[in-house]
Amino acid sequence: MSDQPLWISFVVGFIVLNVLLIGMAYMTWAERKVMAYMQDRIGPNRTGPFGLLQPIADAVKLIGKEDLIPKFADKRIFVIAPLVSFVTAPLAGLVIPFGDQVTIAGRQINLYATDINIAVLYVLALSSIGVYGIILGGYASANRYSLLGALRSAAQVVSYEIALGLSLVGIFIISGSLSLVDILNQQRQTLDLFGTGLQIPNWFIFYQPLAFVIFLIAAVAETNRLPFDLPEAETELISGFHTEYSGFRFSFYFLAEYISMIVISLFAATLFLGGTDGPIADGAWWLILKAMIFLFFYIWLRTTLPRFRYDQLMGIAWKVLLPLALLNIVVTGFVRLAFNNQLW
Amino acid sequence: MTPEVLVFDILAVIAVIAGIGVVVSRNPVHSAVALVVTFVNLAGIFVMLRAEFLAAVQIIVYTGAILVLVLFVIMLVDMDDLPEFHGGAPLQRLSAIVIGLILLGEVAAAVLTRTVVGQPGPWNEETIAAAGGNVQVLGQFLYSGYVLPIQAMAIVLLVGTIGALVMARPDEPTTRAGGRTTGTISLGHSRGADLVALPSGAPPARVIHREDMRDGLVMVTSADAYTEHAAWAGTDVPSEPGAAEYPTGAGIGSEENR
């Protein structure tokens, strides 16, 4: 636990949340631009240079829309549901370490809001609360398509959360800690590969390549992105759980989806790619660069792969990812035991 | 009043109110939502007691998995189909009261032996910190001293899973294939193999009856008289050669059944 005063943590947390919101706005812009170039189009280019003001225009448009609540909707739950998604999405960003410490006005300030000793479980717990926004929103809309989207989402998130959590167990076995700061600090050493003098960074992707692949797939499913966006599947469910949502209530879901993409990218970069560790000049920029690679990967997937069929989706989770994750845990455990706490 | 007590009071009051909401709300989904609120507030209390691991597990397992499955089922059931959701038969009420009292007694006994009688366990904040933290202590305990109970629980859960699968399975494989009324569109679907192959060739042309003709139009006398009439077949053409392979549906417009 850090010994800094509580108010500094609050300030750092406030800054992190706002940076996430701005990052989200430009994530939508980047997604449109990248998709456009991949599809041989130009993308937004009218509002500001390179269309950089497009997110602001979108926000103004969404605020201006009529706020509709269906007649037969369960009104209280209908109002609360998008907020559940929106509130839980950025909170996971609070445990991600953006660096060590900086000294501002004679005070040592940690570059993370808090270092809790179960940070990884905290992130998983938040994502499992976030799914209630989708389920309840779909239920409260009193619309069959929305309900179907909600049911799909419930089944999908519960299934993939198991794969997501189990893929991280290998990292816990190696690092012996659930704290992201500890996990990061362990990755900042250099690794002498088999004593040959070949230096590689001590990133956990080199120990856990299988877990990395499982985590990546499960993370895409967990954020309901293509090719796993069965809960909203425009072509069959008319965008599923948020069919009945309009205006700013819809944008809460939209914000939540993009923020959780950013957060899970930061999370993946910290867990597997050494976070702020880089070849020269360690710092938050390396973390941001690595997270952007993941975000690009998300967009790339979206433009490349068609949506899965529902039974394929469940089949991947239970018949492929889960056994592989369990195998990974067993192998990691044996290796750790055999090498007696020091790998290679 | 220290801030910690204030925070505890807020969490506890919300948890109790939400707990009451679980029991009294008329809509089962509202009950489930109230239960979510209770769980989250309980997790907050666990955090205040320095049991962060328990809090995270409470959220991940109960809120994130079990309650989602409960909601999954509840959402599919219409409220009006559940007349006895509240109240219920006298026997149900009686058994609910008895079981509730037994559970309350168990919890009370556990709390009383630990606090009032004064048999605190070996763990306090200092010993836990010395052992490396909450997670480490829990892990060591569960997987050294309590390995057998954990294995027994795992086996019980496995048996439960297999039992559920057996109960959910249809009785006979043959009734499954025969009972299928809707086909699948995907041609590459592996499950499509057990269905009857689609008939090939053009369907037989229907004979239009003289009495159905009114001023060049065909007036249909019954609802399904011409429903399987192919658009490409001529109106007065009798059955073409090759039409015989086409399986005539029972009764629908075939000459014998009119």
Side-chain angles (χ1 to χ4, degrees):
Chain A
M1 284 291 203
S2 56
D3 48 358
Q4 62 187 356
L6 197 58
W7 67 269
I8 294 183
S9 292
F10 277 124
V11 171
V12 174
F14 182 77
I15 293 170
V16 169
L17 293 184
N18 280 289
V19 168
L20 278 178
L21 276 177
I22 295 168
M24 174 268 155
Y26 280 92
M27 178 64 204
T28 64
W29 173 82
E31 177 170 36
R32 288 182 183 190
K33 270 293 190 197
V34 173
M35 272 178 66
Y37 285 125
M38 283 181 177
Q39 295 163 348
D40 201 11
R41 294 184 286 118
I42 296 173
N45 64 345
R46 295 290 145 155
T47 42
F50 308 108
L52 274 173
L53 297 178
Q54 188 67 38
I56 298 167
D58 285 344
V60 170
K61 187 194 84 169
L62 280 169
I63 294 171
K65 293 256 180 185
E66 184 181 359
D67 179 26
L68 287 172
I69 297 182
K71 189 177 173 188
F72 295 105
D74 193 329
K75 292 198 180 51
R76 265 181 292 174
I77 294 184
F78 188 85
V79 171
I80 293 170
L83 294 175
V84 174
S85 273
F86 176 63
V87 168
T88 51
L91 282 181
L94 295 180
V95 292
I96 288 167
F98 288 90
D100 294 324
Q101 289 180 331
V102 288
T103 310
I104 296 174
R107 250 180 217 287
Q108 291 275 315
I109 294 176
N110 294 328
L111 282 178
Y112 42 84
T114 176
D115 170 28
I116 46 180
N117 57 4
I118 47 140
V120 182
L121 292 181
Y122 165 80
V123 175
L124 293 178
L126 278 175
S127 83
S128 66
I129 295 182
V131 69
Y132 277 98
I134 293 175
I135 297 176
L136 294 177
Y139 156 77
S141 299
N143 177 328
R144 278 164 204 213
Y145 294 110
S146 300
L147 187 63
L148 279 175
L151 291 177
R152 283 182 176 187
S153 165
Q156 174 178 332
V157 172
V158 168
S159 308
Y160 277 88
E161 207 168 60
I162 295 171
L164 192 77
L166 287 180
S167 71
L168 298 178
V169 173
I171 287 185
F172 305 154
I173 293 176
I174 293 177
S175 69
S177 172
L178 291 173
S179 154
L180 278 176
V181 177
D182 284 356
I183 288 175
L184 176 63
N185 285 335
Q186 292 205 11
Q187 295 184 74
R188 301 175 81 171
Q189 303 140 8
T190 40
L191 185 72
D192 195 0
L193 197 63
F194 303 117
T196 53
L198 187 63
Q199 302 278 320
I200 56 168
N202 192 29
W203 295 353
F204 284 148
I205 186 176
F206 299 120
Y207 298 93
Q208 297 279 316
L210 181 62
F212 177 68
V213 173
I214 296 169
F215 179 86
L216 212 55
I217 296 171
V220 177
E222 196 70 7
T223 45
N224 291 328
R225 291 283 299 177
L226 268 167
F228 296 103
D229 67 338
L230 271 294
E232 40 180 298
E234 302 92 342
T235 42
E236 41 182 325
L237 287 186
I238 345 176
S239 65
F241 64 90
H242 59 65
T243 303
E244 299 289 349
Y245 282 91
S246 64
F248 225 70
R249 291 191 205 290
F250 163 72
S251 78
F252 279 140
Y253 279 126
F254 196 64
L255 287 162
E257 180 179 327
Y258 280 82
I259 289 175
S260 50
M261 274 166 70
I262 295 177
V263 166
I264 213 147
S265 298
L266 290 169
F267 193 53
T270 308
L271 282 172
F272 287 99
L273 291 185
T276 57
D277 183 42
I280 42 161
D282 290 5
W285 38 87
W286 284 108
L287 177 63
I288 292 165
L289 180 73
K290 288 164 188 168
M292 281 163 94
I293 294 171
F294 283 110
L295 291 173
F296 179 78
F297 179 72
Y298 266 110
I299 303 168
W300 191 12
L301 275 184
R302 177 174 171 181
T303 51
T304 309
L305 293 181
R307 184 175 298 130
F308 282 109
R309 217 173 50 220
Y310 194 68
D311 56 326
Q312 292 173 330
L313 177 91
M314 284 297 154
I316 291 171
W318 291 102
K319 295 178 194 163
V320 180
L321 294 184
L322 184 65
L324 283 179
L326 290 173
L327 181 74
N328 184 53
I329 293 173
V330 172
V331 171
T332 311
F334 270 116
V335 170
R336 164 103 199 214
L337 205 63
F339 285 80
N340 195 20
N341 295 352
Q342 48 179 6
L343 288 170
W344 342 100
Chain B
M1 187 182 275
T2 61
E4 287 197 346
V5 175
L6 183 70
V7 172
F8 171 79
D9 284 348
I10 294 171
L11 289 172
V13 166
I14 295 176
V16 169
I17 291 174
I20 294 171
V22 176
V23 185
V24 299
S25 71
R26 308 294 302 172
N27 184 334
V29 174
H30 290 178
S31 290
V33 174
L35 199 54
V36 172
V37 177
T38 315
F39 282 166
V40 172
N41 281 282
L42 276 185
I45 293 176
F46 285 149
V47 170
M48 296 198 59
L49 294 171
R50 303 283 165 87
E52 299 94 350
F53 182 75
L54 204 56
V57 169
Q58 158 101 357
I59 298 276
I60 293 174
V61 174
Y62 286 97
T63 319
I66 292 179
L67 252 180
V68 166
L69 293 182
V70 170
L71 262 179
F72 195 103
V73 176
I74 289 177
M75 283 195 308
L76 288 177
V77 181
D78 196 2
M79 260 290 289
D80 304 331
D81 296 343
L82 294 173
E84 63 279 283
F85 179 70
H86 287 283
L91 189 64
Q92 279 179 332
R93 286 193 209 182
L94 190 69
S95 55
I97 290 171
V98 170
I99 291 172
L101 284 178
I102 291 173
L103 286 176
L104 188 67
E106 281 182 1
V107 174
V111 171
L112 287 178
T113 48
R114 273 285 177 244
T115 57
V116 178
V117 181
Q119 283 180 326
W123 298 103
N124 52 36
E125 277 189 37
E126 287 78 38
T127 48
I128 285 176
N134 242 321
V135 186
Q136 281 80 355
V137 171
L138 260 179
Q140 277 171 8
F141 253 74
L142 286 182
Y143 290 100
S144 57
Y146 292 92
V147 159
L148 273 181
I150 291 254
Q151 299 284 339
M153 266 195 282
I155 289 173
V156 168
L157 285 175
L158 185 65
V159 170
T161 315
I162 295 172
L165 277 176
V166 170
M167 285 172 72
R169 211 175 56 134
D171 301 332
E172 293 278 321
T174 47
T175 55
R176 258 188 301 169
R180 190 194 300 277
T181 51
T182 51
T184 166
I185 298 171
S186 169
L187 294 176
H189 199 297
S190 56
R191 294 276 194 74
D194 58 352
L195 292 175
V196 187
L198 284 174
S200 57
R206 191 72 36 67
V207 178
I208 300 292
H209 295 272
R210 189 66 52 189
E211 63 268 23
D212 288 349
M213 298 290 285
R214 301 275 185 280
D215 303 328
L217 293 172
V218 181
M219 304 302 281
V220 181
T221 49
S222 69
D224 51 5
Y226 293 100
T227 45
E228 287 203 336
H229 191 191
W232 60 82
T235 46
D236 271 329
V237 186
S239 292
E240 287 170 8
E245 289 105 64
Y246 191 83
T248 45
I252 306 177
S254 61
E255 178 67 16
E256 297 79 30
N257 291 332
R258 287 191 90 246

